[in-house]
Amino acid sequence: MFPRGDAGQPGPASENGPLPNVPPLYQSVGYELTDLAALQLAVDGGRHLYVRHGAPNEEAVATLLSQLEARGGPPELRVEATLFSSGMAAIEAAVMAVLDDRRVGSRDKPPLVVMASPIYSASRSLLCALANRGLMTLHELEVPDTAAVAAIAEREPVALIFCEVLTNPRLRVPDLPALAQIANQHGATLLVDSTLATPLLCRPLTLGAHLVVHSATKFLGGHGDLCAGVVAGSPELIARVRAHRQLFGSVLDPFAAWLLQRSLRTLHVRLSRQIENATALANFLSDRAEELSIREVIYPGLPSHPDHALAAQLLDRPGAMLAFTLKSPEVARRAFERVRLLRRVASLGDVESLIMYPAATWRRTLSEKELARFGIAPGLLRISVGLEDIADLCADLQGALRPE
């Protein structure tokens, strides 16, 4: 069962009034206070004070997302969530909430962060920038090398372990319970970016992670019309994350929060159809690989995927993203330009199917050597599968990939 889309909605429903699952929009920047006691309560966090401190629409969405992230976890699991103006703002706040803890690192030695790559190129750039400023020491490993993470943690204190499920663009699946065990054993924080999985496919907090982040711009928003980020975790950790957001002002606009609440009402319906399409499309491409000059099809639902068994164990379903590598860069570039139904958009998770050429977009932040190391070949294409008729999607790709 999924929580109702109106969970956490502000304001009571009234007789002969609007439907209770169509929430009002609270666009107010400030909140009127009745007296000095109300002011003191607001300053202490018990009432609304100013939009940067929190607002009704944002808090309604945060309540719903915290319920989704806790679903299936132990009864003692307490989860809160807070929202940001973008996914990158959410990641930055989550990382800094850990690094700002006085218990990690020292003046002589910045806290150690282990990054399980490949991760989203902007996230990697952020962590590298923080390391270059002396705020952390960064150690980069490849998913799913949990043994290497354990070896590092045995040698020196680790403050943060950062990974993605699923990774972008090769859709690798880290062993989250094993990473959580390492983090707990050595006093580290496990931070998981679950944007491509959403809370409907994987709930890292129930598997032992301490913080989870999402770019809500993607599947959670789902319509290509909002930019938002989410951090969820224990009340104690989220209090630190929320304080960072309040200080730096990366709060989510009330209207964007209202749009996100609208989108969450259809998330399970949208994602179910997208996964059905992705599974069918992956099988279609796999069955016609030789005919269409495809070297490999990358989808966790296929037995050929290196993490197929782990994905079946940790994910409720294999997701709505797939990738495939063509036998030559020329064929990939030609196919990218010849598609007609798929949209050439540098995003993912929308109701429309989106195709991207990662070797071109990631070249801004990764060297040729790093691209090769992370398996981002010049013949790789990534698809975020949408809601279109599957026959139309297959026909579009077959036409784009057919030899001239």
Side-chain angles (χ1 to χ4, degrees), residues 225-285:
D225 58 6
L226 66 90
C227 185
V230 182
V231 185
S234 69
E236 294 77 17
L237 281 173
I238 293 302
R240 302 214 307 260
V241 173
R242 195 177 287 120
H244 186 87
R245 183 192 72 173
Q246 180 177 326
L247 181 63
F248 286 88
S250 51
V251 66
L252 184 63
D253 174 77
F255 182 58
W258 185 88
L259 287 174
L260 182 54
Q261 188 173 5
R262 166 219 61 181
S263 297
L264 290 175
R265 292 170 58 196
T266 62
L267 174 60
H268 66 290
V269 178
R270 289 186 283 109
L271 193 56
S272 293
R273 172 62 179 265
Q274 289 170 310
I275 293 171
E276 290 173 6
N277 278 351
T279 302
L281 191 59
N283 284 315
F284 174 84
L285 295 172

Side-chain angles (χ1 to χ4, degrees), residues 1-10 21 23 56-71 79-83 199-200 203 220 230 232 257-268:
M1 286 291 293
F2 299 113
R4 285 172 56 92
D6 56 351
Q9 174 181 323
N21 60 350
N57 293 102
E58 181 265 333
E59 291 168 0
V61 179
T63 297
L64 176 56
L65 288 169
S66 65
Q67 293 174 355
L68 288 172
E69 291 292 353
R71 184 170 59 91
V79 176
E80 289 187 6
T82 190
L83 275 71
L200 299 194
R203 292 158 298 282
L220 298 182
V230 182
W258 185 88
L259 287 174
L260 182 54
Q261 188 173 5
R262 166 219 61 181
S263 297
L264 290 175
R265 292 170 58 196
T266 62
L267 174 60
H268 66 290

Side-chain angles (χ1 to χ4, degrees), residues 170-325:
R170 295 193 63 89
L171 308 174
R172 299 302 304 270
V173 181
D175 190 338
L176 294 181
L179 290 176
Q181 183 177 6
I182 294 169
N184 288 327
Q185 181 179 352
H186 296 280
T189 298
L190 176 58
L191 169 61
V192 180
D193 185 335
S194 192
T195 296
L196 272 61
T198 84
L200 299 194
L201 305 186
C202 182
R203 292 158 298 282
L205 299 177
T206 69
L207 299 173
H210 303 98
L211 287 169
V212 60
V213 296
H214 298 272
S215 172
T217 311
K218 310 304 192 298
F219 287 101
L220 298 182
H223 295 76
D225 58 6
L226 66 90
C227 185
V230 182
V231 185
S234 69
E236 294 77 17
L237 281 173
I238 293 302
R240 302 214 307 260
V241 173
R242 195 177 287 120
H244 186 87
R245 183 192 72 173
Q246 180 177 326
L247 181 63
F248 286 88
S250 51
V251 66
L252 184 63
D253 174 77
F255 182 58
W258 185 88
L259 287 174
L260 182 54
Q261 188 173 5
R262 166 219 61 181
S263 297
L264 290 175
R265 292 170 58 196
T266 62
L267 174 60
H268 66 290
V269 178
R270 289 186 283 109
L271 193 56
S272 293
R273 172 62 179 265
Q274 289 170 310
I275 293 171
E276 290 173 6
N277 278 351
T279 302
L281 191 59
N283 284 315
F284 174 84
L285 295 172
S286 184
D287 291 343
R288 291 161 178 78
E290 189 61 34
E291 170 194 342
L292 301 177
S293 298
I294 296 174
R295 189 182 306 277
E296 62 172 343
V297 179
I298 303 165
Y299 184 63
L302 294 176
S304 58
H305 191 279
D307 304 322
H308 175 68
L310 187 58
Q313 176 186 343
L314 299 184
L315 305 178
D316 291 349
R317 298 179 71 182
M321 300 290 299
L322 64 87
F324 56 97
T325 305

Side-chain angles (χ1 to χ4, degrees), residues 31-49:
Y31 297 87
E32 187 176 11
L33 303 163
T34 56
D35 52 30
L36 191 58
L39 172 59
Q40 189 60 55
L41 189 60
V43 170
D44 293 339
R47 289 286 188 275
H48 293 119
L49 177 66

